[in-house]
Amino acid sequence: MTTQVIVLNGGSSSGKSGIARCLQQVLPDPWLSLSVDTFVDALPRALKSSDAGIDFGTDGEVVVGPEFRELEAAWIEGVAAMARAGARIVVDEVFLGGAASQERWRKALTGLGVLWVGVRCEGAVAAGREIARGDRVPGMAAAQADLVHQGVRYDVEVDSTRVESIECARTIATRVADPR
Amino acid sequence: MTTQVIVLNGGSSSGKSGIARCLQQVLPDPWLSLSVDTFVDALPRALKSSDAGIDFGTDGEVVVGPEFRELEAAWIEGVAAMARAGARIVVDEVFLGGAASQERWRKALTGLGVLWVGVRCEGAVAAGREIARGDRVPGMAAAQADLVHQGVRYDVEVDSTRVESIECARTIATRVADPR
Amino acid sequence: MTTQVIVLNGGSSSGKSGIARCLQQVLPDPWLSLSVDTFVDALPRALKSSDAGIDFGTDGEVVVGPEFRELEAAWIEGVAAMARAGARIVVDEVFLGGAASQERWRKALTGLGVLWVGVRCEGAVAAGREIARGDRVPGMAAAQADLVHQGVRYDVEVDSTRVESIECARTIATRVADPR
Amino acid sequence: MTTQVIVLNGGSSSGKSGIARCLQQVLPDPWLSLSVDTFVDALPRALKSSDAGIDFGTDGEVVVGPEFRELEAAWIEGVAAMARAGARIVVDEVFLGGAASQERWRKALTGLGVLWVGVRCEGAVAAGREIARGDRVPGMAAAQADLVHQGVRYDVEVDSTRVESIECARTIATRVADPR
């Protein structure tokens, strides 16, 4: 089946969005790039730091509440519908709930060709990159490095610890099915 | 019918995204805010300045090509699906094609409660705000001020020329239907 | 004396940086635009939220500590030196200490032609614009609207409550001295 | 002599600003971080794409004109004055003119303790990172990788091709003199 959706899952500062941009450059067709950050940016400010929405703890843990979950479910349905309407989409995600998060996406994407990609990065290295970028709550990289992969099953895994984003993208691109 | 989608249409620098943020604050339920800018940001870089994608002329005119149109159609379907899945959504748009652009959204949103909002701003004032914000191609505000409203039909219109965004949002909010 | 430095002082969301960009467009010579935000961006992350540096309270008050003050004093000396070396500079400031803040700048700028500009905006209107922009700690606009002007003396004042940034800039520009 | 200024010189996408942020974290005292980007952001829009100011060619070359040079000279004087007034400063630069660019800074910084740091990155790797970040004119990384180091003399060099920013920062930090 033609790959219609590429789901990149990895912790904060593991290099997902850089890999997504490289995939857009490397793949021959035009792909949209949508991220959990796109969704969070679309939330009302009141939900961006509240128990009902999403809360970033001072030590990097992220907690999401029921109103976040409801809107997120609709977001996921919408992204799936974009793919069904013909768009190729790279989704850049952080499966805070591990296997349960994957299951939410899997249900919504039923019937579509999906490539599940694990983006690994050693926690200590991701933590260093978090300092270098300077725009994330410190501690998220270390807290999420292993957590987000628990119980998740992938078609392909890349490790950005010692491999550049563009090389990770090239590896992923070889697994994108296109029967033409 | 309960309003599920608010479509704000206006030219560049007419104040749409500020009004969208104010609506998120003013309305009692949580609303997502999605913009044509969200979509353009998701495009591959190669489509952001090409004949097949979107091109920003030096005098502020914007031309979009066939690959842009295909992905945009899928984007619109996806936003409609998010609303059908239960999300309330403020859509912030620039109807470069006037009535034809509205028709594309109208078809996709069939069956949903939609509030169509025209966001007017005198071209000269919008052009001044374009200079003040400093992050837009000069000329877009003037070029789009009237163009985007041609043949478009609204439920409510606001004029940001001499009215603050928060006041425009309050006016719009009174027209949002909620039968509870 | 030729005006070499324009100091814009006003509360958060009063429109200072927009007016600064309009001044750069309106004035015939090239002017640099430097802001207290430029300085805060240059601080180490550890000082951006600490008692020794700068702290943004949840109700919009801003408190700065001794290490902030030391670096700020050096920053001000440096900006004055840029002007002495020939650059024309628009400085966009928030005089949290009112007259005492002005005095710090006045000493550093001794011997230079300075135009002191008050940028007023009614607190309620600035608070609405703070919601519309969505990138500031809520409450700063209201907290600072009057505070920053206490005891400060100006050459010219503008009020952005009902006047566009580009018009405020034109008013200020008429007061810029250029003996050529 | 106590190190008062650290000058990082390297091509676009070689990792300078990430290293600068890591230095701010690693060094015990508070350091300001100022970049050539800080200066370019301060320029009037009209100079950001013109023969008199700075021009970014479609193949990544950067050309600066006489008005850019005049304001830049004042900027450099100002940064030096900040250091003389007591601030510790990391300067993140792109010596498009190689040795001649260094000479401009050297003259301005006379009498101050300066650590000259070369930030190397193989052109092909920097070009890949340019794609991953997605916010730079394509081609700058490759065009500048060797160019900016021609004739420049360093106290220490780091190579970000295969070493993380935080490690580069630790290497640099061991060379910062502090006689206390």
Side-chain angles (χ1 to χ4, degrees):
Chain A
M1 194 189 307
T2 303
T3 305
Q4 196 81 24
V5 180
I6 301 171
V7 179
L8 306 177
N9 176 47
S12 186
S13 293
S14 64
K16 298 178 304 296
S17 20
I19 294 174
R21 277 187 286 265
C22 289
L23 277 167
Q24 290 185 300
Q25 166 98 353
V26 164
L27 292 165
D29 293 301
W31 287 69
L32 289 181
S33 171
L34 294 172
S35 160
V36 63
D37 289 342
T38 316
F39 168 66
V40 171
D41 285 349
L43 289 173
R45 190 177 177 100
L47 278 196
K48 283 183 196 172
S49 189
S50 80
D51 292 347
I54 185 167
D55 201 33
F56 297 91
T58 50
D59 54 348
E61 88 281 7
V62 177
V63 181
V64 303
E67 297 194 335
F68 182 97
R69 280 281 173 244
E70 273 182 47
L71 287 170
E72 191 196 24
W75 166 260
I76 292 173
E77 286 298 327
V79 173
M82 288 177 204
R84 288 205 181 85
R88 295 170 186 84
I89 308 176
V90 183
V91 172
D92 155 7
E93 257 287 357
V94 183
F95 287 170
L96 291 174
S101 302
Q102 184 176 33
E103 192 52 28
R104 277 196 286 272
W105 275 98
R106 192 185 300 275
K107 276 186 189 160
L109 298 173
T110 299
L112 289 162
V114 181
L115 187 74
W116 298 95
V117 182
V119 180
R120 305 255 177 195
C121 183
E122 289 176 12
V125 168
R129 292 178 189 169
E130 186 176 69
I131 294 168
R133 65 195 291 191
D135 62 350
R136 287 297 184 276
V137 179
M140 281 173 57
Q144 299 176 0
D146 294 321
L147 181 73
V148 301
H149 297 291
Q150 287 178 4
V152 181
R153 296 172 65 180
Y154 298 114
D155 297 306
V156 54
E157 295 188 47
V158 293
D159 189 327
S160 71
T161 311
R162 269 167 293 268
V163 179
E164 295 291 313
S165 298
I166 187 81
E167 292 307 321
C168 293
R170 288 196 183 112
T171 298
I172 298 164
T174 63
R175 303 294 299 271
V176 171
D178 186 354
R180 288 176 304 179
Chain B
M1 193 190 309
T2 304
T3 305
Q4 196 81 23
V5 180
I6 302 172
V7 180
L8 306 178
N9 176 48
S12 186
S13 294
S14 65
K16 297 178 304 295
S17 25
I19 294 173
R21 278 187 286 266
C22 289
L23 277 167
Q24 290 184 299
Q25 166 98 353
V26 164
L27 292 165
D29 294 301
W31 287 68
L32 289 180
S33 171
L34 294 172
S35 160
V36 64
D37 289 343
T38 315
F39 169 66
V40 171
D41 286 349
L43 288 174
R45 191 178 176 100
L47 277 196
K48 283 183 195 172
S49 188
S50 80
D51 291 348
I54 184 167
D55 201 34
F56 297 91
T58 49
D59 54 347
E61 87 279 10
V62 178
V63 181
V64 302
E67 298 193 336
F68 182 98
R69 280 282 173 244
E70 274 183 47
L71 287 170
E72 190 197 24
W75 165 261
I76 293 173
E77 286 298 327
V79 173
M82 287 177 205
R84 288 205 180 85
R88 295 169 186 85
I89 308 176
V90 183
V91 172
D92 154 6
E93 259 286 358
V94 183
F95 287 170
L96 292 173
S101 302
Q102 183 176 35
E103 192 53 26
R104 277 195 286 273
W105 275 98
R106 191 184 300 274
K107 276 186 189 161
L109 298 173
T110 299
L112 290 161
V114 182
L115 187 74
W116 298 95
V117 182
V119 180
R120 305 253 176 197
C121 183
E122 288 175 13
V125 168
R129 292 177 188 171
E130 186 176 71
I131 294 168
R133 65 194 292 192
D135 61 351
R136 287 298 185 274
V137 179
M140 282 172 56
Q144 298 176 1
D146 294 321
L147 182 72
V148 302
H149 297 290
Q150 288 178 4
V152 181
R153 297 171 65 179
Y154 298 114
D155 298 307
V156 54
E157 295 189 45
V158 293
D159 189 329
S160 71
T161 311
R162 268 167 293 268
V163 180
E164 296 290 314
S165 298
I166 188 79
E167 291 307 321
C168 294
R170 288 194 182 113
T171 300
I172 298 164
T174 63
R175 303 293 299 272
V176 171
D178 185 355
R180 288 177 304 180
Chain C
M1 195 189 309
T2 303
T3 305
Q4 196 81 23
V5 180
I6 302 171
V7 179
L8 306 178
N9 175 47
S12 186
S13 293
S14 65
K16 298 178 303 294
S17 22
I19 293 173
R21 277 187 286 267
C22 289
L23 276 167
Q24 289 184 300
Q25 166 97 353
V26 164
L27 291 165
D29 293 302
W31 288 68
L32 288 180
S33 171
L34 294 172
S35 160
V36 64
D37 289 343
T38 315
F39 169 66
V40 171
D41 286 348
L43 288 173
R45 191 178 176 99
L47 277 196
K48 284 183 194 172
S49 188
S50 80
D51 291 348
I54 185 167
D55 201 34
F56 297 91
T58 49
D59 55 347
E61 88 280 9
V62 177
V63 181
V64 302
E67 297 194 336
F68 182 98
R69 279 282 172 243
E70 273 183 48
L71 288 170
E72 191 197 25
W75 165 261
I76 292 173
E77 286 298 328
V79 173
M82 287 177 204
R84 287 205 181 85
R88 295 169 186 84
I89 308 176
V90 183
V91 172
D92 154 7
E93 258 287 358
V94 183
F95 286 171
L96 292 173
S101 301
Q102 184 176 33
E103 192 52 28
R104 277 195 285 274
W105 275 98
R106 190 185 302 274
K107 276 186 189 161
L109 298 173
T110 300
L112 290 161
V114 181
L115 187 74
W116 298 95
V117 182
V119 180
R120 306 254 176 196
C121 183
E122 289 175 13
V125 168
R129 291 177 189 170
E130 186 176 69
I131 295 168
R133 67 195 291 192
D135 62 350
R136 287 297 184 276
V137 179
M140 282 172 57
Q144 298 176 1
D146 294 321
L147 182 73
V148 301
H149 297 291
Q150 287 178 4
V152 181
R153 297 172 65 179
Y154 298 114
D155 298 307
V156 54
E157 296 189 45
V158 293
D159 188 328
S160 70
T161 311
R162 270 167 292 269
V163 179
E164 295 291 313
S165 298
I166 187 79
E167 291 308 321
C168 293
R170 288 196 183 111
T171 299
I172 298 164
T174 63
R175 304 293 300 271
V176 171
D178 185 355
R180 288 177 304 181
Chain D
M1 194 190 310
T2 303
T3 306
Q4 196 81 25
V5 180
I6 302 171
V7 180
L8 306 177
N9 175 47
S12 185
S13 293
S14 64
K16 297 178 304 295
S17 22
I19 294 173
R21 277 187 286 265
C22 289
L23 277 168
Q24 290 184 301
Q25 166 98 353
V26 163
L27 292 165
D29 293 301
W31 288 69
L32 289 180
S33 171
L34 294 172
S35 160
V36 63
D37 289 343
T38 316
F39 168 66
V40 171
D41 285 349
L43 289 173
R45 191 178 177 100
L47 277 195
K48 283 183 195 172
S49 189
S50 80
D51 291 348
I54 185 167
D55 201 33
F56 297 91
T58 50
D59 54 347
E61 87 280 7
V62 178
V63 182
V64 303
E67 297 193 336
F68 182 97
R69 280 282 173 244
E70 274 183 47
L71 287 170
E72 190 197 25
W75 165 260
I76 292 174
E77 286 298 327
V79 173
M82 287 178 205
R84 288 206 179 85
R88 295 169 187 85
I89 308 176
V90 183
V91 172
D92 154 8
E93 257 288 357
V94 183
F95 287 170
L96 291 174
S101 302
Q102 183 176 34
E103 192 52 27
R104 277 196 285 273
W105 276 98
R106 191 184 301 275
K107 276 186 190 160
L109 298 172
T110 299
L112 290 162
V114 182
L115 187 74
W116 298 95
V117 182
V119 180
R120 305 253 176 196
C121 183
E122 289 176 13
V125 169
R129 292 177 188 170
E130 186 176 70
I131 294 168
R133 66 196 291 192
D135 61 351
R136 286 297 184 275
V137 179
M140 281 173 57
Q144 298 177 0
D146 294 321
L147 182 72
V148 301
H149 297 291
Q150 288 179 3
V152 181
R153 297 171 66 179
Y154 298 114
D155 298 306
V156 54
E157 295 188 46
V158 293
D159 188 328
S160 71
T161 311
R162 269 167 292 268
V163 179
E164 295 290 315
S165 298
I166 187 80
E167 291 307 321
C168 294
R170 288 195 182 112
T171 298
I172 297 164
T174 63
R175 304 293 301 271
V176 171
D178 186 354
R180 289 177 303 179

